């Protein structure tokens, strides 16, 4: 296949980890006879520095003209003082929205080789867990009305959580379909004991559940879900939730796998074109030190091959190479847990994966 891939390297460790993913994808292209044509575009802080805005029009147009997009991470202390609309993070929301990517798939599984890096006890983890968070990505409080107004205690700031039946149904369908392909269990997470938007969410999910009698469906309040994830993560197969709850719970899910440096994500919409990114941030403290774990971005590349291009064997080749490298005991600094020894750098880890491929 001949495919055009846009690269949004972004800030902090973004460029290092995207370079690693590109090296791996190039190797796959060689091995399987594909041509991947990569074009970089600016996003986030580096875009502010060069163009004055976090999401230049060229970037949006470039992404929309590509077959798919790989993103590193955005943001850093340098831009923390900027006004809300000019922050690097706003670009991330902007590109998700411009590409219509309402679905965010965040798989979290425990690699047996990384058992030591997980903070959970053996009796909790058992033989491991493997869950998928389906996060709504273009609605809710991230995109609702916001601003300042006069309130009971003087000037106040507000953000609004709003969900329509249409938005809930389309993310719900993705989640039920995903559950059908996995272990057929779906847990929808909300705060229906307090929020009106959650009550509509729950009602809509219940209606959908009737169309999927083979899926074992249940709801859970988000506070309980936060607790259940560390108490017994094996109870979950697929989780579906709103934009903000999904943001929070996916960080928690990543931590119990051992490292946030391992978790890939796919953002998808109505077309095959997706945006693939690690769930972690730009880690400014280790940027430029060649210390970052490139695996989440490399696995995001594998997700792209699978979901956008249907290149299953190619995706599995990457995933197996990552498994094999971890099984052989190689670790980046974030994966050391209680292990002793010298961690690999970002480029050394990438080389190790390339070698297996
Ligand atoms: C994520 C990130 C982003 C989000 C930030 C950087 C805007 O935390 O992808 O999880 O909240 O969606
Ligand atoms: Mg997040």
């Amino acid at each position: 296949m001949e495919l055009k891939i846009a690269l949004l390297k972004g800030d902090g460790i973004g460029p290092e980890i995207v370079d690693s993913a590109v090296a791996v994808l190039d190797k796959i292209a060689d091995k399987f006879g594909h041509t991947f044509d990569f074009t970089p575009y600016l996003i986030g802080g580096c875009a502010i520095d060069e163009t004055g805005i976090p999401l230049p029009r060229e970037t949006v147009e470039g992404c929309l003209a590509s077959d798919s997009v790989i993103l590193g991470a955005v943001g850093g202390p340098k831009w923390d003082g900027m006004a809300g609309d000019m922050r690097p993070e706003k670009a991330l929301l902007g590109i998700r929205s411009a590409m219509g990517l309402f679905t965010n798939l965040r798989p979290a599984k425990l690699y047996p080789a990384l058992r030591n890096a997980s903070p959970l006890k053996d009796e909790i983890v058992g033989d491991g867990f493997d869950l998928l968070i389906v996060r709504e990505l273009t609605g809710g409080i991230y995109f609702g009305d916001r601003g300042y107004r006069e309130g009971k205690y003087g000037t106040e700031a507000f953000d609004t959580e709003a969900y329509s039946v249409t938005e809930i149904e389309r993310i719900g369908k993705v989640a039920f379909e995903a559950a059908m392909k996995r272990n057929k269990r779906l847990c929808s997470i909300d705060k229906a004991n307090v929020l009106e938007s959650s009550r509509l969410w729950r009602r809509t999910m219940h209606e959908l559940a009737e169309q999927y009698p083979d899926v074992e469906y249940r709801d859970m309040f988000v506070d309980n879900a936060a607790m259940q994830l560390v108490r017994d993560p094996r109870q979950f197969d697929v989780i579906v939730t709103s934009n903000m709850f999904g943001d929070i719970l996916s960080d928690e899910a990543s931590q119990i796998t051992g490292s946030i440096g391992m978790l890939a994500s796919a953002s998808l919409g109505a077309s095959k074109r997706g945006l693939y990114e690690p769930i972690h941030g730009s880690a400014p403290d280790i940027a430029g030190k060649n210390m970052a774990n490139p695996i989440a971005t490399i696995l995001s590349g594998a997700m792209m091959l699978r979901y956008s291009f249907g290149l299953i064997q190619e995706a599995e080749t990457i995933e197996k190479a990552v498994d094999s490298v971890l099984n052989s005991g190689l670790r980046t600094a974030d994966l050391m847990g209680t292990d002793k020894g010298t961690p690999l750098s970002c480029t050394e880890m990438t080389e190790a994966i390339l070698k297996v491929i």
Side-chain angles (χ1 to χ4, degrees):
M1 286 178 106
E2 256 190 70
L3 297 160
K4 275 167 67 176
I5 300 166
L7 298 179
L8 309 181
K9 296 186 182 185
D11 311 312
I13 59 171
E16 306 163 45
I17 55 180
V18 171
D19 287 347
S20 296
V22 167
V24 167
L25 289 168
D26 271 337
K27 182 93 187 186
I28 290 288
D30 260 8
K31 191 177 158 92
F32 291 89
H34 303 299
T35 309
F36 297 149
D37 178 16
F38 298 101
T39 315
Y41 296 95
L42 294 169
I43 192 166
C46 60
I48 297 175
D49 289 350
E50 279 208 27
T51 70
I53 53 169
L55 184 61
R57 215 180 65 196
E58 221 176 77
T59 300
V60 176
E61 285 169 359
C63 290
L64 290 174
S66 304
D67 294 305
S68 209
V69 182
I70 293 208
L71 182 132
V74 297
K78 182 173 175 195
W79 307 281
D80 273 349
M82 319 248 350
D85 268 356
M86 286 298 287
R87 287 183 64 100
E89 290 82 356
K90 190 73 186 179
L92 201 49
L93 306 191
I95 194 69
R96 288 170 180 169
S97 172
M99 292 175 68
L101 307 172
F102 60 85
T103 299
N104 187 212
L105 303 178
R106 297 191 159 184
K109 70 168 181 177
L110 185 77
Y111 285 80
L114 295 182
R115 179 64 201 88
N116 274 344
S118 171
L120 298 185
K121 290 191 184 123
D122 285 339
E123 56 264 38
I124 292 177
V125 164
D127 53 1
F129 55 86
D130 179 347
L131 58 93
L132 173 68
I133 299 184
V134 179
R135 170 189 178 194
E136 199 292 325
L137 201 60
T138 50
I141 199 165
Y142 275 53
F143 292 91
D145 272 356
R146 69 195 55 202
Y148 285 83
R149 64 187 170 201
E150 286 313 304
K152 192 161 138 206
Y153 300 104
T155 305
E156 63 184 19
F158 67 96
D159 301 272
T160 320
E161 173 88 347
Y163 271 112
S164 62
V165 170
T166 305
E167 288 170 295
I168 303 167
E169 268 177 2
R170 68 181 180 186
I171 193 69
K173 277 187 192 143
V174 171
F176 277 102
E177 295 292 338
M180 286 297 287
K181 291 195 193 127
R182 293 174 45 109
N183 292 319
K184 299 197 171 56
R185 285 184 290 129
L186 177 64
C187 181
S188 169
I189 293 172
D190 61 38
K191 190 70 185 171
N193 49 348
V194 177
L195 304 177
E196 205 53 53
S197 51
S198 278
R199 285 191 273 272
L200 181 64
W201 179 282
R202 189 172 280 214
R203 212 162 54 232
T204 309
M205 287 293 169
H206 282 202
E207 279 164 18
L208 266 181
E210 286 171 19
Q211 297 171 33
Y212 295 89
D214 293 342
V215 175
E216 191 189 304
Y217 174 86
R218 65 187 171 137
D219 326 280
M220 194 180 277
F221 294 137
V222 63
D223 49 350
N224 184 25
M227 181 173 76
Q228 296 299 335
L229 264 176
V230 289
R231 199 190 67 86
D232 177 20
R234 283 180 294 171
Q235 69 184 281
F236 297 108
D237 176 24
V238 179
I239 285 173
V240 62
T241 191
S242 65
N243 203 342
M244 185 161 68
F245 294 160
D247 177 44
I248 298 167
L249 293 175
S250 59
D251 267 31
E252 186 185 5
S254 76
Q255 198 49 50
I256 59 175
T257 69
S259 172
I260 194 167
M262 292 294 300
L263 264 71
S265 86
S267 302
L268 303 165
S271 79
K272 287 266 167 211
R273 186 187 309 112
L275 184 146
Y276 298 84
E277 57 175 313
I279 82 153
H280 62 70
S282 59
D285 51 324
I286 58 164
K289 294 188 182 157
N290 196 16
M291 273 175 72
N293 180 354
I295 293 179
T297 317
I298 290 172
L299 291 174
S300 298
M303 285 185 95
M304 174 182 77
L305 298 179
R306 173 176 285 116
Y307 290 105
S308 281
F309 308 146
L311 300 174
I312 309 297
Q313 206 192 339
E314 287 82 341
E316 282 174 356
T317 302
I318 296 177
E319 288 156 356
K320 283 190 191 133
V322 168
D323 275 349
S324 138
V325 162
L326 294 173
N327 287 338
S328 68
L330 299 177
R331 303 279 183 272
T332 42
D334 57 304
L335 300 178
M336 295 300 285
T338 54
D339 294 350
K340 303 268 176 305
T342 322
L344 296 191
S345 67
C346 178
T347 45
E348 285 166 342
M349 179 53 94
T350 309
E351 285 301 326
I353 293 168
L354 288 173
K355 218 158 137 197
V356 177
I357 296 174

